[in-house]
Amino acid sequence: AALAAACVTSAAFATPQTQFQKGQFQLDLGAWDVKASVDGENFGYYGTNTTDSKWNFQGGLGYALSDKWNLEYAYHDLNTKYDGTKVTDGDEHEVNLVYSLNKNFAVYGGWNRIKNSVDSFSKTNNIAQLGLIAKAPLAKNFDIYGKAAIGTKKTTIWEAGLGYTFAKDFDLSAGYRYVNTKLVDKGTLGATDDANISYKGPFVTLSY
């Protein structure tokens, strides 16, 4: 309801963008504090197995192909530790084509490559995904947004945060990101059923 009401009075938005100008580019540099967890019930023990959090690099680059279409690349490290020892050592690469519906909404689709590296085990998921971006202003130069996507390999991704335009062409955003994707098939590593792994944590990003 808040998003719908905001459509009447929305102004220029901070990152992530839902409107574009042909030929413009955007550079993102940031970090997120990642934890990883696996559904322990599929490995014969109760509950979830969760690592300690660790700050990781994230970044991206976008280019507006037209006033409606934007091509975006995003990268996220997926490194975590437990009690000082490395547990996961993977990464995530996304390439998406984003289409602007209006000031408040955009849809996107593309390819996501998630490398799940846990201890000595490693598996890479190549994922086709579809997603939605929704935004609304809270105050001058200050916005709230949400992103959600579903994909192959039992993958779901969501992100929610706040964006602030603090200078011409510069935005600062902060929020929380969650990624859940398939780790192993039934029978692999002793799994009693197909098992997923999730990566989640708060982040902060500077955009130009």
Side-chain angles (χ1 to χ4, degrees):
L3 286 172
C7 290
V8 179
T9 59
S10 59
F13 280 136
T15 301
Q17 303 296 330
T18 51
Q19 288 189 304
F20 314 107
Q21 293 183 24
K22 183 179 179 180
Q24 286 192 337
F25 74 92
Q26 176 176 315
L27 176 65
D28 301 321
L29 296 173
W32 70 321
D33 194 21
V34 184
K35 287 184 178 181
S37 62
V38 175
D39 185 358
E41 292 181 358
N42 291 340
F43 290 96
Y45 55 87
Y46 181 77
T48 58
N49 188 16
T50 302
T51 68
D52 298 328
S53 61
K54 181 180 182 297
W55 283 100
N56 283 247
F57 171 77
Q58 65 176 19
L61 185 65
Y63 180 78
L65 304 174
S66 72
D67 290 346
K68 283 290 187 180
W69 293 96
N70 196 55
L71 182 63
E72 295 181 349
Y73 165 76
Y75 173 84
H76 303 270
D77 274 334
L78 302 175
N79 301 319
T80 64
K81 293 183 177 182
Y82 182 75
D83 198 23
T85 301
K86 182 181 291 185
V87 178
T88 66
D89 185 22
D91 51 48
E92 178 185 7
H93 300 261
E94 288 185 77
V95 178
N96 292 303
L97 195 59
V98 186
Y99 179 75
S100 172
L101 297 175
N102 53 46
K103 294 179 181 180
N104 298 86
F105 297 97
V107 293
Y108 65 92
W111 168 77
N112 196 338
R113 179 186 180 274
I114 301 177
K115 180 183 178 183
N116 299 303
S117 182
V118 183
D119 295 328
S120 59
F121 174 81
S122 181
K123 181 180 180 181
T124 299
N125 290 343
N126 287 293
I127 299 154
Q129 64 183 19
L130 293 171
L132 172 70
I133 305 170
K135 304 177 64 173
L138 293 177
K140 184 180 179 180
N141 298 332
F142 194 54
D143 311 318
I144 187 171
Y145 76 89
K147 295 176 66 176
I150 58 172
T152 56
K153 303 291 184 179
K154 298 184 177 181
T155 303
T156 56
I157 303 172
W158 64 262
E159 178 181 318
L162 300 171
Y164 179 66
T165 301
F166 65 91
K168 187 178 184 298
D169 298 325
F170 284 94
D171 295 339
L172 185 66
S173 56
Y176 191 90
R177 188 169 189 267
Y178 174 88
V179 179
N180 186 275
T181 191
K182 191 174 184 179
L183 177 63
V184 296
D185 297 316
K186 180 180 179 179
T188 305
L189 300 181
T192 57
D193 201 350
D194 293 350
N196 274 29
I197 186 171
S198 62
Y199 307 94
K200 61 255 189 185
F203 68 86
V204 61
T205 299
L206 176 67
S207 299
Y208 170 73

